[in-house]
Amino acid sequence: MKPIVPKKNEPVRIGFYICHCGTNIASVVDVEAVAKYAATLPNVAVSRTYKYMCSDPGQELIQQDIQESRLNRIVVAACSPLLHEHTFRKATEAGGLNPFYFQMVNIREHDSWVHTDRTEATRKAMALARAAIQRVPHHKPLEVKKVGINPNVLIVGGGIGGIHAALTLANAGKMVYLVEKEATIGGHMAKFDKTFPTLDCAMCVLSPKMAAIGSHPNIHLWTYSEVAKVDGYVGNFKVTVRRKPRYILEDLCTGCQECVNACVYKDAKFADEFNLGLGKRKPIFLPFPQAIPPVTMIDPEVCLNFKRGKNPDGSHTVSDKCKKTCVEACGDRKAIDFKQTQEIKEITVGTIIVATGFQIFDARRIPYYGYGVYPNVYNALEVERLINASGPTEGEVILRNGQVPKKVAIVHCVGSRDENTNRWCSRVCCLYSLKLAHLIKEHTHAEVYNFYIDMRTPGKGMEEFYNRIAEEGMHLIRGRVADVYPDPNDGATGRLVVQAEDTLTNKILKIPVDMVVLATGLEPHPEAESLRRMFNLSCSSEGWFLERHPKLAPVNTFTDGIFLAGCCQGPKDIPDTVAQAGAAAAEAFALIDKGHVEQEPNTAYILDDCCGCKSCIPLCPYTAISFAEDTKKAIINETLCKGCGTCVASCPSGSIVQNLFEDVEIYSEIDGVLAEGLF
Amino acid sequence: MANATQSPLPNSTWKPRIVAFFCNWCTYTAADLAGVSRMKHFSNVRIIRLMCSGRVDPQFVLEALAKGADAVLIGGCHPNDCHYVEGNYKCLRRYQMLKRMIADMGIEPERLRLEWISAAEGEKLKRVVNEMVETITKLGPLGLPQKFEQWDREMEEFANHVAARDAAAGGGCAEHGTNTQPLETAHA
């Protein structure tokens, strides 16, 4: 198709299209009336309605009209421009016009979906259409800016989501920086015993992937590290990573753990984080046997060779009071370095995948369940560790007093579906509770009582799993647990009573049990807020990172080039996390493989009548504006300008113009929306 | 908001006209979210999308009021959340200045409102829009275009009056008498 080059002084001929969107728009807005109204406005040559403008025939309609009716401006009144502006720009371009001769009117999200009065909604649609029709004659042909993209990828978070995304990209030949806050990758999945619904061992499927990360030539694995700063934009992010000192030189340590054996502490006596404090470790330790990188670390808070307490800058001071048997054991490898300090790494990447995961709900926030008060109340993750063969009890489900529980209650929805704590369903608790019920029964032959509100088992194989577990002779009680208290008849043994109303039989139940397992829900990571600021993301009101579109852009964010994977976006199970991580990797790959990013040409430029007052220069956060000494005028560096328009609004002589948002365009919109008779 | 879209003043045809300038990244998206969540609210707000609240030229606000808006709503990102680092702070400064300016012009400061509404706060958008419509309904119309017309008429009458008086005085004051075209109108 021959591109239509606008001739000078050619009369503006606008094509106006209003979409029914099935009944989404047409049921509230009288689309025919809007089309008739638009036809009366100046410059409108064609005015039509169509059932689905975004469909192929809808777009072809535009292209056909451009050719047949010699249209040179297009206005489509439909959904939000954030959804379909791109679609219609493409259609405009396919018709032979510059894509920026297009303007979109949002009459679905901003009108038909939020108003019920047909007259008022129709008037609003007319006013908004009028604004666009008045605006579009001022549009100029613009060109999309193409900027090269750095092929490296940063992945933040080394749980199963980050691991999967990293391997996918690294296998495709891309250089990946995987940054993990903890000393090892693996995340929550590494702590699980079995996974539902297949009951396959979590570590058996995870550890090969972890090992692959550790040995992959395309992956820079930085554990015990945090992203400190992110600058730049899609294609060219400048990232600062802070690597915390683990006092072991990663390149030299072979993971033999002879240092651990040689430590002056003969017995492990410090709470082991990986086992949630149920087990013990030494001051020098490997987080868990399959840790990647297989490198030990030193906890300076308890190691005798360090002074207690941190310095104001967060570092620790070496006391040199220990015999340093660990150094002796390490011998010639010389992998232990008490003087190690934090290391700052600066990298440039083109895309970022955020996979920072979740935290489990702190059950102490619901005092009547007695977590943290009664020793026999556990959260589900602690029980995972008790069941796990490499856990603190080597797979024996025993209470803190060493006894095997004979009766176990599992309380669902702890910190989920609760007005007082978190309102959302954490999605995985019903299923992992069924899994734990099965595993506890398998390990202890105990009677297991599941107290649930609703049994939620969506997903492939999940309902079958529920039926299977139910048939194993579990007690499934529909009722929210109201109280957990020491058994008045048997208090000394730590036995507890779980009280709930069985809402199917309308009976109050008081069941004495030896162990209570709280199926704690999933919560946004405590650092989500600071991460959100750093990566310029949005959060839902609950604190989960917000995807660009819940259905059509589920891994994209509002910041181009930054993608989401896993539970940082919302609670999900392992298969969904992996699927999402794959999607995020594919999105990143699609950007990289294209080789360039297209940037909205909404940058600003300076007119000749700039008087050189320099008031715009300090306003630009990207230092895109400079002062040309020879001409005594300001100049804008187009590659640095991000198109916010702050300088435009401040120019006292009106000498700065923002493409796509020119003053004259905004003024014609203001005039358009205030049209008489449309309120 | 069961009666959200009913006319707030059933006996009057007047309804507040509110022009809104929303940042593309937060408040505009919040309005989309309100739509997706079907949060019904008053239909009196007409949204104009800008890339950043920092793009809101004070003249946009004055122009909207002069062209017949009863109020102007600006929506930007929460402090520290600006997509462009600090455009919202620039907007805040202009807003503070404008607030005083319109008060000096005899326009109630309530007619200009700046709100930080993040992309996730569809509920807040609905609340702010409804609150604003209620506030402006109570305040009544601003009606600057009508006032301009009235002032133009007054000026014209005054000019005519002066011309007639000069004519009656016998054309003695040439420097006044020849200057009979209407004085420059207030909003020109």
Side-chain angles (χ1 to χ4, degrees):
Chain A
M1 210 173 286
K2 264 201 318 199
I4 298 171
V5 182
K7 292 181 195 82
K8 256 197 177 168
N9 303 324
E10 187 189 21
V12 170
R13 291 176 63 79
I14 301 172
F16 175 79
Y17 302 85
I18 180 163
C19 180
H20 294 237
C21 195
T23 54
N24 279 303
I25 293 171
S27 65
V28 183
V29 173
D30 184 346
V31 287
E32 298 297 339
V34 178
K36 264 188 207 145
Y37 170 76
T40 66
L41 295 175
N43 301 324
V44 175
V46 171
S47 180
R48 297 183 194 275
T49 72
Y50 194 73
K51 196 99 182 155
Y52 289 104
M53 277 311 295
C54 60
S55 66
D56 279 350
Q59 295 182 50
E60 279 157 20
L61 194 63
I62 297 174
Q63 293 163 29
Q64 204 181 331
D65 282 350
I66 292 174
Q67 295 295 324
E68 287 174 6
S69 309
R70 288 172 295 107
L71 301 179
N72 49 24
R73 301 289 191 281
I74 302 296
V75 174
V76 175
C79 49
S80 169
L82 303 182
L83 196 64
H84 271 314
E85 187 174 54
H86 190 68
T87 312
F88 294 119
R89 277 185 183 167
K90 282 264 175 259
T92 308
E93 196 173 20
L97 285 180
N98 182 285
F100 299 98
Y101 280 139
F102 165 76
Q103 178 69 18
M104 189 141 186
V105 189
N106 186 341
I107 57 161
R108 193 179 72 172
E109 281 83 348
H110 289 188
D111 191 357
S112 71
W113 276 355
V114 287
H115 307 315
T116 44
D117 184 295
R118 198 170 166 83
T119 318
E120 287 189 4
T122 305
R123 281 184 188 159
K124 182 167 176 177
M126 288 174 176
L128 295 175
R130 185 187 160 115
I133 289 168
Q134 290 190 186
R135 180 194 218 271
V136 83
H138 302 290
H139 281 209
K140 308 240 166 21
L142 298 169
E143 276 194 31
V144 173
K145 254 195 307 180
K146 286 183 181 173
V147 181
I149 185 163
N150 184 308
N152 300 345
V153 186
L154 168 70
I155 297 179
V156 189
I160 180 60
I163 288 174
H164 185 78
L167 283 177
T168 308
L169 286 163
N171 287 340
K174 303 299 159 205
M175 193 57 82
V176 174
Y177 296 92
L178 179 57
V179 175
E180 164 60 46
K181 185 167 63 89
E182 302 293 335
T184 170
I185 55 170
H188 280 97
M189 189 180 171
K191 295 181 180 169
F192 301 158
D193 181 52
K194 300 270 178 4
T195 55
F196 61 78
T198 46
L199 292 179
D200 48 355
C201 148
M203 211 50 196
C204 309
V205 289
L206 181 62
S207 61
K209 296 193 85 148
M210 288 169 61
I213 292 272
S215 60
H216 206 293
N218 289 343
I219 298 177
H220 292 276
L221 173 59
W222 289 342
T223 54
Y224 212 47
S225 305
E226 285 170 348
V227 176
K229 199 166 163 233
V230 181
D231 280 325
Y233 47 91
V234 55
N236 195 13
F237 290 104
K238 301 256 186 300
V239 183
T240 311
V241 179
R242 195 164 60 84
R243 304 207 61 194
K244 295 176 278 187
R246 60 197 293 160
Y247 306 105
I248 304 288
L249 300 172
E250 242 176 72
D251 299 340
L252 302 179
C253 176
T254 59
C256 67
Q257 298 184 60
E258 276 170 36
C259 52
V260 180
N261 296 330
C263 180
V264 290
Y265 282 97
K266 286 293 161 240
D267 299 313
K269 58 179 287 194
F270 304 103
D272 172 6
E273 292 85 357
F274 185 75
N275 285 316
L276 300 119
L278 294 171
K280 299 278 186 252
R281 61 160 171 81
K282 292 184 179 179
I284 186 163
F285 63 102
L286 189 67
F288 61 97
Q290 302 97 326
I292 297 288
V295 173
T296 54
M297 65 178 291
I298 293 174
D299 178 358
E301 287 293 330
V302 293
C303 173
L304 289 183
N305 211 38
F306 285 96
K307 286 189 181 149
R308 295 291 85 90
K310 284 181 183 174
N311 296 328
D313 64 348
S315 66
H316 288 81
T317 311
V318 180
S319 67
D320 235 1
K321 289 215 172 118
C322 184
K323 281 192 285 181
K324 294 190 277 279
T325 45
C326 52
V327 177
E328 236 167 75
C330 192
D332 289 343
R333 288 189 293 273
K334 292 195 172 68
I336 301 176
D337 176 10
F338 292 106
K339 299 242 159 59
Q340 195 177 37
T341 50
Q342 68 168 13
E343 199 183 342
I344 302 294
K345 296 267 191 186
E346 301 213 342
I347 52 170
T348 306
V349 296
T351 46
I352 298 175
I353 296 174
V354 178
T356 50
F358 63 96
Q359 69 168 350
I360 60 165
F361 174 79
D362 181 357
R364 276 174 294 208
R365 282 171 58 195
I366 307 181
Y368 50 85
Y369 287 159
Y371 180 79
V373 178
Y374 309 126
N376 293 341
V377 179
Y378 292 81
N379 72 34
L381 200 56
E382 289 168 339
V383 178
E384 294 273 2
R385 293 313 300 154
L386 288 181
I387 295 171
N388 193 292
S390 65
T393 57
E394 291 171 343
E396 274 190 78
V397 181
I398 46 172
L399 299 172
R400 287 190 167 92
N401 61 12
Q403 286 183 341
V404 177
K406 293 191 186 68
K407 282 180 153 191
V408 178
I410 301 181
V411 182
H412 290 222
C413 297
V414 178
S416 304
R417 305 183 66 198
D418 180 357
E419 290 286 332
N420 297 317
T421 55
N422 297 328
R423 291 169 68 178
W424 59 86
C425 167
S426 295
R427 251 194 77 180
V428 291
C429 322
C430 280
L431 286 152
Y432 80 57
S433 297
L434 290 169
K435 174 192 76 179
L436 288 177
H438 167 87
L439 294 173
I440 291 170
K441 204 173 174 70
E442 191 179 72
H443 281 65
T444 63
H445 307 290
E447 290 285 307
V448 183
Y449 301 84
N450 270 276
F451 294 89
Y452 64 93
I453 306 177
D454 295 294
M455 191 61 79
R456 294 190 166 176
T457 59
K460 192 177 174 184
M462 302 301 185
E463 185 67 14
E464 294 88 329
F465 178 67
Y466 161 62
N467 286 328
R468 173 186 160 187
I469 304 298
E471 280 163 19
E472 284 177 3
M474 301 297 164
H475 302 277
L476 300 172
I477 299 157
R478 203 186 85 171
R480 182 158 213 155
V481 171
D483 203 3
V484 174
Y485 53 91
D487 190 342
N489 307 320
D490 206 0
T493 59
R495 186 169 263 238
L496 299 163
V497 175
V498 174
Q499 183 177 320
E501 182 191 352
D502 184 335
T503 53
L504 295 176
T505 59
N506 286 336
K507 278 194 187 126
I508 301 289
L509 302 177
K510 291 179 183 175
I511 299 176
V513 294
D514 302 309
M515 181 186 203
V516 174
V517 182
L518 302 178
T520 40
L522 275 52
E523 276 189 338
H525 200 280
E527 285 168 36
E529 179 63 21
S530 60
L531 287 166
R532 183 183 73 76
R533 293 238 151 108
M534 195 150 48
F535 292 105
N536 205 348
L537 305 174
S538 297
C539 275
S540 64
S541 52
E542 298 89 10
W544 307 107
F545 294 145
L546 201 63
E547 63 281 359
R548 192 171 195 130
H549 190 274
K551 295 179 189 69
L552 303 178
V555 299
N556 302 62
T557 65
F558 288 99
T559 307
D560 285 336
I562 301 189
F563 307 99
L564 302 174
C567 288
C568 61
Q569 181 256 345
K572 53 182 66 66
D573 59 10
I574 294 166
D576 285 6
T577 296
V578 171
Q580 205 182 20
E587 292 281 355
F589 191 76
L591 270 182
I592 298 165
D593 220 36
K594 200 173 173 190
H596 63 261
V597 277
E598 291 178 355
Q599 285 186 343
E600 188 86 347
N602 56 9
T603 47
Y605 61 92
I606 293 187
L607 297 174
D608 270 347
D609 43 5
C610 166
C611 65
C613 73
K614 301 186 189 173
S615 57
C616 54
I617 293 172
L619 292 179
C620 181
Y622 305 102
T623 58
I625 315 177
S626 54
F627 186 69
E629 289 297 341
D630 50 344
T631 57
K632 301 281 176 214
K633 290 180 202 305
I635 20 173
I636 293 180
N637 180 336
E638 203 198 349
T639 49
L640 292 178
C641 174
K642 298 283 163 296
C644 62
T646 303
C647 58
V648 188
S650 78
C651 180
S653 59
S655 308
I656 314 182
V657 180
Q658 185 188 10
N659 285 322
L660 286 175
F661 294 91
E662 292 184 24
D663 280 351
V664 59
E665 292 170 348
I666 312 293
Y667 285 128
S668 46
E669 273 195 81
I670 295 171
D671 188 73
V673 295
L674 288 167
E676 272 310 315
L678 296 182
F679 269 87
Chain B
M1 220 44 236
N3 60 347
T5 50
Q6 288 169 13
S7 168
L9 285 178
N11 299 327
S12 154
T13 53
W14 177 78
K15 291 190 199 83
R17 309 159 154 221
I18 300 173
V19 173
F21 298 101
F22 284 171
C23 158
N24 176 65
W25 303 100
C26 53
T27 315
Y28 191 89
T29 313
D32 276 4
L33 177 64
V36 174
S37 319
R38 311 296 200 276
M39 294 172 179
K40 307 292 179 207
H41 52 258
F42 284 120
S43 64
N44 315 46
V45 173
R46 305 280 187 263
I47 298 166
I48 294 176
R49 181 170 72 114
L50 299 171
M51 292 314 281
C52 178
S53 56
R55 178 68 182 93
V56 180
D57 190 325
Q59 287 189 40
F60 293 171
V61 175
L62 299 178
E63 174 81 1
L65 296 174
K67 282 267 167 71
D70 297 302
V72 172
L73 172 62
I74 305 170
C77 302
H78 285 271
N80 265 332
D81 283 0
C82 179
H83 192 82
Y84 302 101
V85 189
E86 51 193 26
N88 53 353
Y89 293 125
K90 306 293 187 296
C91 178
L92 178 65
R93 287 165 65 168
R94 289 178 195 141
Y95 165 78
Q96 304 284 17
M97 183 268 297
L98 262 171
K99 255 321 218 202
R100 290 178 201 176
M101 221 172 115
I102 61 166
D104 286 349
M105 290 169 166
I107 299 169
E108 298 89 340
E110 294 91 318
R111 294 191 189 272
L112 176 61
R113 184 164 174 177
L114 171 66
E115 281 291 340
W116 311 133
I117 303 177
S118 86
E121 294 177 319
E123 186 69 40
K124 182 171 180 185
L125 181 110
K126 169 189 151 178
R127 178 172 60 76
V128 167
V129 165
N130 284 339
E131 271 175 21
M132 186 137 183
V133 170
E134 277 160 14
T135 311
I136 304 306
T137 306
K138 277 186 206 134
L139 274 181
L142 178 62
L144 280 185
Q146 292 80 355
K147 282 179 191 160
F148 288 149
E149 269 173 40
Q150 192 194 327
W151 294 338
D152 286 352
R153 271 200 306 278
E154 282 171 16
M155 290 305 283
E156 212 171 315
E157 275 168 29
F158 179 64
N160 289 341
H161 176 74
V162 171
R165 202 192 57 187
D166 287 353
C173 303
E175 66 271 28
H176 285 147
T178 52
N179 189 15
T180 51
Q181 73 264 37
L183 296 173
E184 208 174 313
T185 50
H187 64 291

